[in-house]
C-alpha cells in the first residue's frame, strides 16, 4: 500500500456519460497530480492541485475537470466520454518539500468506455 | 516535453547487474534526476533520486556523471520481478510536476 488511495479501481461506462474518479493523497501531502495512460502509451500529465488550488495544467481536455477539497482529497471529473478516453488514470501526491521519496502514486483507476 | 533520452528496450540475465543509461544534457543546476519504474500497468514506483553525488539505496544505485549530463541506474542483481518500464526524469523538487518520457523497457530473462 503506497498510501495514495484511488477509487474505483475499475469503471465501465458508455459514451456520452460522466464519471468521477477519486484520489486520497498520502497523509500530510499537499499536492495531488493526475496522469492519464492510454493503452501502450506513456504517462501524460493532466493537472496538479496544491493545497486546494490549481497549480499546473498539462494536456487536459476541456471535458475534464478536477478539484481538491479542504481535506486534500481530489476528484477528476470526466464528461461527455468518448471511446478514446479509455485509459488508466493515476493519481500521485507529494509533500510541500521533498526529502527522500517525494512523489507517491496510487494503483490507478482503469476506465473503459464502451 | 521530457528532458531525457533513454534506450527503448534492454535485456538482462537474471542475477546479473542491469545498467540503464539516461541522457539529460540540458539539465539545470537545480534539477534532480529521478528514477521510477512501472510494472505492468501498476502505479509508477519510486526507485531513487540524486542531484550530483552518486546515491545508493536498498533497490538500486544511481551514478551521475560529473558534468551531470547523463546518469546510470544500476540494479545490482536483477530478478524476474525487475521486468518493468524504467523512467528517468529530471525535475526540480516537489511540488513541481513530474514529466514522464517513454522510458526503457527492461526484460529480465532466466
Amino acid at each position: 500500500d503506497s498510501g495514495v488511495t484511488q477509487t474505483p479501481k475499475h469503471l465501465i461506462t458508455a459514451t456520452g456519460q460522466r464519471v468521477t474518479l477519486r484520489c486520497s493523497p498520502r497523509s500530510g501531502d499537499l499536492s495531488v497530480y493526475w496522469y492519464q495512460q492510454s493503452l501502450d502509451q506513456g504517462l501524460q500529465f493532466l493537472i496538479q492541485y496544491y493545497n486546494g488550488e490549481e497549480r499546473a495544467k498539462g494536456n487536459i481536455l476541456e471535458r475534464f475537470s478536477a478539484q481538491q477539497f479542504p481535506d486534500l482529497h481530489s476528484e477528476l471529473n470526466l464528461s461527455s466520454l468518448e471511446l478514446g478516453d479509455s485509459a488508466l488514470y493515476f493519481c500521485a501526491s507529494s509533500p510541500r518539500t521533498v526529502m527522500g521519496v517525494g512523489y507517491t502514486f496510487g494503483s490507478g483507476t482503469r476506465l473503459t468506455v464502451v | 516535453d521530457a528532458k531525457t533520452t533513454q534506450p527503448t528496450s534492454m535485456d538482462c540475465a537474471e542475477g546479473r547487474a542491469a545498467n540503464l543509461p539516461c541522457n539529460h544534457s540540458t539539465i539545470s543546476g537545480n534539477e534532480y534526476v529521478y528514477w521510477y519504474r512501472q510494472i505492468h500497468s501498476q502505479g509508477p514506483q519510486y526507485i531513487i533520486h540524486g542531484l550530483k553525488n552518486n546515491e545508493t539505496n536498498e533497490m538500486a544505485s544511481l551514478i551521475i556523471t560529473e558534468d551531470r549530463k547523463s546518469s546510470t541506474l544500476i540494479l545490482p542483481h536483477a530478478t524476474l520481478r525487475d521486468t518493468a518500464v524504467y523512467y528517468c526524469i529530471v525535475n526540480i523538487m516537489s511540488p513541481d510536476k513530474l514529466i514522464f518520457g517513454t522510458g526503457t523497457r527492461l526484460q529480465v530473462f532466466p
Side-chain angles (χ1 to χ4, degrees):
Chain A
D1 182 12
S2 67
V4 176
T5 303
Q6 289 189 248
T7 56
K9 293 192 184 305
H10 302 276
L11 196 51
I12 302 175
T13 190
T15 54
Q17 295 298 303
R18 172 190 170 94
V19 297
T20 298
L21 312 183
R22 182 187 170 102
C23 171
S24 294
R26 202 174 47 170
S27 178
D29 286 358
L30 298 179
S31 276
V32 170
Y33 313 78
W34 287 97
Y35 290 82
Q36 179 192 55
Q37 187 172 36
S38 302
L39 187 63
D40 292 331
Q41 298 294 311
L43 287 144
Q44 299 294 319
F45 169 71
L46 295 178
I47 196 164
Q48 176 197 358
Y49 277 81
Y50 177 76
N51 203 20
E53 295 189 1
E54 181 184 303
R55 179 183 171 92
K57 229 173 193 179
N59 300 322
I60 187 166
L61 300 172
E62 287 190 9
R63 300 183 285 109
F64 296 0
S65 65
Q67 54 184 327
Q68 186 178 28
F69 295 86
D71 67 352
L72 300 178
H73 91 271
S74 177
E75 293 181 356
L76 179 66
N77 300 297
L78 316 177
S79 61
S80 302
L81 285 167
E82 303 175 358
L83 296 178
D85 297 327
S86 295
L88 275 166
Y89 291 84
F90 290 105
C91 165
S93 73
S94 74
R96 180 176 181 178
T97 57
V98 170
M99 293 297 289
V101 175
Y103 303 82
T104 305
F105 283 79
S107 57
T109 293
R110 182 178 293 278
L111 173 66
T112 303
V113 182
V114 297
Chain B
D1 290 342
K3 302 177 184 178
T4 62
T5 304
Q6 299 177 251
T8 302
S9 62
M10 295 182 65
D11 290 336
C12 180
E14 190 176 21
R16 304 298 295 268
N19 297 284
L20 289 83
C22 179
N23 185 293
H24 33 79
S25 57
T26 61
I27 192 170
S28 301
N30 63 345
E31 288 183 315
Y32 286 70
V33 180
Y34 287 86
W35 283 84
Y36 281 76
R37 72 180 182 183
Q38 187 177 25
I39 300 173
H40 186 55
S41 299
Q42 296 178 20
Q45 177 190 23
Y46 167 83
I47 300 174
I48 199 168
H49 76 283
L51 183 62
K52 58 177 77 173
N53 297 321
N54 297 338
E55 303 287 344
T56 295
N57 63 21
E58 65 279 4
M59 290 183 67
S61 294
L62 173 60
I63 308 298
I64 303 174
T65 57
E66 193 169 342
D67 64 7
R68 303 210 321 126
K69 293 185 177 182
S70 65
S71 62
T72 301
L73 178 74
I74 301 172
L75 308 179
H77 306 287
T79 71
L80 299 179
R81 289 177 294 180
D82 292 322
T83 293
V85 178
Y86 288 77
Y87 296 97
C88 169
I89 303 166
V90 296
N91 208 63
I92 64 173
M93 297 184 92
S94 171
D96 196 44
K97 58 191 179 295
L98 292 176
I99 299 299
F100 288 80
T102 53
T104 295
R105 185 173 297 275
L106 175 68
Q107 179 69 52
V108 181
F109 57 91

